[in-house]
Amino acid sequence: MGFARTCSVALVGVEGVVVEVQADLEPGVAAFTLVGLPDKSLTESRDRVRAAVVNSGGEWPQKKLTVGLSPASVPKAGSGFDLAVACAVLGAAERIDPRVLADIVMIGELGLDGRVRPVRGILPAVLAAADAGYEQVVVPECAAAEASLVPGVSVLGVRSLRRLIAVLTDEPVPEEDPDDRDRPDPLLAGLRVPGTGAATGMHGIGAAQHDQGHDLADVVGQHSARTAVEVAAAGGHHLFLEGPPGAGKTMLAERLPSILPPLDRQASLEVTAVHSVAGLLPPGKPLVDTAPYCAPHHSATMQALVGGGPGTARPGAVSLSHRGVLFLDETPEFSGKALDALRQPLEAGHVVIARSAGVVRFPARFLMVLAANPCPCGRFSSVNDHCECPPAAVRRYQARLSGPLLDRVDLRVEVDRVTRSELSANAARGETTVTVADRVRAARERAAARLAGTPWRTNSEVPGRELRSRWHAAPGAMDDAERCLERGMLSARGLDRVLRVAWTVADLCGRDRPDASDVGLALQLRTGVPRGVPMRIGAAV
């Protein structure tokens, strides 16, 4: 009778649970039993592990073999347990010393030839192992850089089971044939598979800091919209851009991520963990350190936006844009059910997906940008009314955005048509991305210094009661906003959001606290009603 155990990690969303993989050999008819709530892909590991062990020069034990995954009450999914199962079996067969395996966490899929293939979710799995007190982790060689992001953990990257056996038994490490570098690495093929979120609008636009191909100076005119974009970036406020087609709404949204400051270490790990689970980490870059940008198509379902899907719940667009920008172009064309599902993550900063197999929680603290035409034809305007839509059609189109959703949007700006003079070559260009990004970074530093010692990072996260009790505006600054509340133009939530935006404007202007002009600009950005306040910040004021 032989017994050995090692460890692996089961992922539930972006949270991991350390699983003890136990192997027991008993005399009897040769059989392989896998217990502990495995899914279909994990059940198939019996054949993969057997072939990998044999093709790696090992001898498969001809006894009754039982492999248990403990705790048995936690559902296990995926092929990342293969490496741990193979080593536990070899430990029970005394090919490897069982004492060596007991305190090692192993993550990886095995090919039939014994090669160790990467799996999604390496970073959150290693984080879970570190939180549980484990100090040694074995991962696929191509995922070692991602696993090394976790401090205090010794990471061993292996390319084949044969090499791992040699390392664990202190035998000479065998040589392997070099890979053909003219072709893509086949071991990376399983990380980007259909259905992992790759079609939700994730791409490189805006992800690079100060992307020179998408500069704010390219946006002609639109001074009010540029100010709103800057305020949104500085305070993390949600933004609604309404205007005719071709006015520049998409251009502004695409340039918003480039003026956001780089992610700090904690935010980078959070974003990387989500993208690792989704299989969207860019090759050769294990750590995402810039704000992500996600722009799903308006035909996206509720599951594509908030996460879910059949089987194991996958992160949706709101989680893929965590600590970044979620851009919903042609917002009224989205289904009302999908848009209303955004209310909870907008308030809570995370999304909870309940399924029969369990409850999954994904982070979802993002900056939302909505863009919409004023009517179905897009030509409705208070200045030049060339719209051919019936009034009832205009009302129905605008009513597709529910009041509760818009009440959670801090900034609402009308984007007008660009004039001929603004498009002429002699027109003055606006500020560049670098200039605006420096001002945004300075404003965020002021907010961070003020919020030091609190769980909040930006002005948009601070509860209204805290702003009213701990950080006070200048005397009389909130008079206009309070009058709007009495007249019904603002809700109680809207008044709090006006105060948050006013603090962001004060941070951008370098003031210690918001005054009447800051609150006036915040009201103007919130309601769209002109109040005689300049709509420019910085050098243009």
Side-chain angles (χ1 to χ4, degrees):
M1 176 178 176
F3 177 83
R5 61 185 178 87
T6 187
C7 295
S8 189
V9 178
L11 287 178
V12 183
V14 292
E15 300 174 356
V17 178
V18 175
V19 173
E20 189 175 75
V21 181
Q22 305 168 346
D24 177 71
L25 283 175
E26 297 179 357
V29 178
F32 189 170
T33 305
L34 183 64
V35 297
L37 287 184
D39 72 340
K40 180 64 175 177
S41 61
L42 182 50
T43 303
E44 293 175 349
S45 68
R46 295 178 298 185
D47 300 318
R48 291 194 301 268
V49 168
R50 182 187 293 110
V53 169
V54 173
N55 290 328
S56 298
E59 183 179 349
W60 188 257
Q62 298 300 316
K63 296 181 180 181
K64 181 182 179 181
L65 172 62
T66 302
V67 174
L69 308 177
S70 179
S73 59
V74 177
K76 290 87 177 175
S79 56
F81 294 87
D82 290 1
L83 196 59
V85 170
C87 289
V89 172
L90 292 174
E94 298 183 352
R95 176 67 176 87
I96 302 175
D97 188 351
R99 294 172 297 180
V100 176
L101 301 173
D103 296 325
I104 300 178
V105 175
M106 300 186 180
I107 307 164
E109 176 186 333
L110 284 176
L112 299 184
D113 56 355
R115 288 184 299 173
V116 182
R117 306 177 66 94
V119 293
R120 287 172 282 150
I122 289 290
L123 178 60
V126 178
L127 284 170
D131 292 340
Y134 290 87
E135 299 179 352
Q136 292 181 305
V137 177
V138 178
V139 299
E141 184 180 58
C142 52
E146 180 183 348
S148 299
L149 296 173
V150 182
V153 177
S154 175
V155 177
L156 173 62
V158 294
R159 192 167 183 86
S160 66
L161 179 61
R162 183 184 294 107
R163 287 197 168 192
L164 177 58
I165 295 173
V167 171
L168 295 177
T169 57
D170 292 329
E171 298 175 357
V173 179
E175 296 292 335
E176 295 184 349
D177 296 334
D179 295 327
D180 187 354
R181 297 300 180 184
D182 295 333
R183 294 182 299 173
D185 191 345
L187 296 182
L188 300 176
L191 293 182
R192 299 179 68 91
V193 295
T196 59
T200 57
M202 288 296 304
H203 51 78
I205 295 178
Q209 189 71 5
H210 306 329
D211 187 352
Q212 297 299 322
H214 296 82
D215 198 292
L216 265 179
D218 299 333
V219 180
V220 178
Q222 308 300 357
H223 302 297
S224 299
R226 287 172 59 98
T227 298
V229 167
E230 182 176 346
V231 173
H237 305 286
H238 305 306
L239 173 63
F240 178 35
L241 300 173
E242 184 179 24
K249 302 185 295 294
T250 303
M251 288 182 66
L252 287 164
E254 289 178 345
R255 284 151 180 79
L256 177 55
S258 62
I259 65 175
L260 293 174
L263 301 178
D264 58 26
R265 180 71 177 183
Q266 181 62 32
S268 295
L269 290 177
E270 293 174 3
V271 174
T272 304
V274 174
H275 288 202
S276 177
V277 170
L280 292 174
L281 282 182
K285 188 178 181 182
L287 182 66
V288 179
D289 56 1
T290 54
Y293 174 82
C294 190
H297 191 261
H298 58 75
S299 62
T301 62
M302 184 177 69
Q303 288 77 15
L305 281 181
V306 301
T312 304
R314 299 191 180 112
V318 296
S319 298
L320 295 176
S321 56
H322 178 61
R323 300 296 179 188
V325 177
L326 174 65
F327 177 47
L328 302 182
D329 199 5
E330 305 294 344
T331 309
E333 302 299 335
F334 283 80
S335 71
K337 185 178 180 181
L339 290 177
D340 288 338
L342 297 176
R343 297 184 194 177
Q344 186 238 358
L346 284 175
E347 287 291 331
H350 62 265
V351 59
V352 177
I353 304 171
R355 293 291 185 269
S356 59
V359 178
V360 177
R361 181 181 184 273
F362 290 113
R365 189 167 295 281
F366 53 89
L367 194 165
M368 182 178 67
V369 179
L370 307 178
N373 297 325
C375 66
C377 74
R379 295 192 295 268
F380 180 80
S381 172
S382 59
V383 180
N384 298 314
D385 190 2
H386 302 292
C387 177
E388 300 176 356
C389 303
V394 176
R395 287 194 300 270
R396 283 196 304 269
Y397 186 81
Q398 295 179 349
R400 292 180 182 178
L401 300 181
S402 65
L405 177 64
L406 290 180
D407 197 42
R408 289 166 167 82
V409 178
D410 299 343
L411 312 173
R412 306 175 192 176
V413 180
E414 184 174 348
V415 183
D416 298 323
R417 290 184 176 88
V418 180
T419 63
R420 178 180 177 181
S421 60
E422 290 174 330
L423 281 173
S424 65
N426 296 327
R429 298 184 69 194
E431 292 179 309
T432 63
T433 292
V434 175
T435 302
V436 177
D438 290 340
R439 201 157 55 236
V440 168
R441 184 176 62 255
R444 289 234 178 175
E445 290 173 354
R446 293 189 187 97
R450 184 173 62 253
L451 299 174
T454 69
W456 311 297
R457 302 185 183 187
T458 59
N459 292 323
S460 63
E461 301 175 14
V462 184
R465 65 179 184 277
E466 297 291 339
L467 281 179
R468 291 189 298 270
S469 61
R470 297 178 60 177
W471 299 286
H472 301 281
M478 294 294 294
D479 290 348
D480 287 347
E482 292 169 355
R483 279 193 289 269
C484 290
L485 176 65
E486 293 175 352
R487 296 169 183 169
M489 298 175 61
L490 285 177
S491 63
R493 179 194 287 127
L495 182 65
D496 289 342
R497 292 182 178 274
V498 167
L499 184 55
R500 293 169 184 160
V501 175
W503 272 104
T504 300
V505 174
D507 289 335
L508 284 168
C509 297
R511 286 189 274 271
D512 293 335
R513 56 179 179 172
D515 57 17
S517 62
D518 299 329
V519 176
L521 179 56
L523 273 173
Q524 192 163 313
L525 290 171
R526 170 78 183 182
T527 63
V529 178
R531 296 179 177 273
V533 181
M535 286 291 291
R536 300 192 185 188
I537 295 176
V541 177

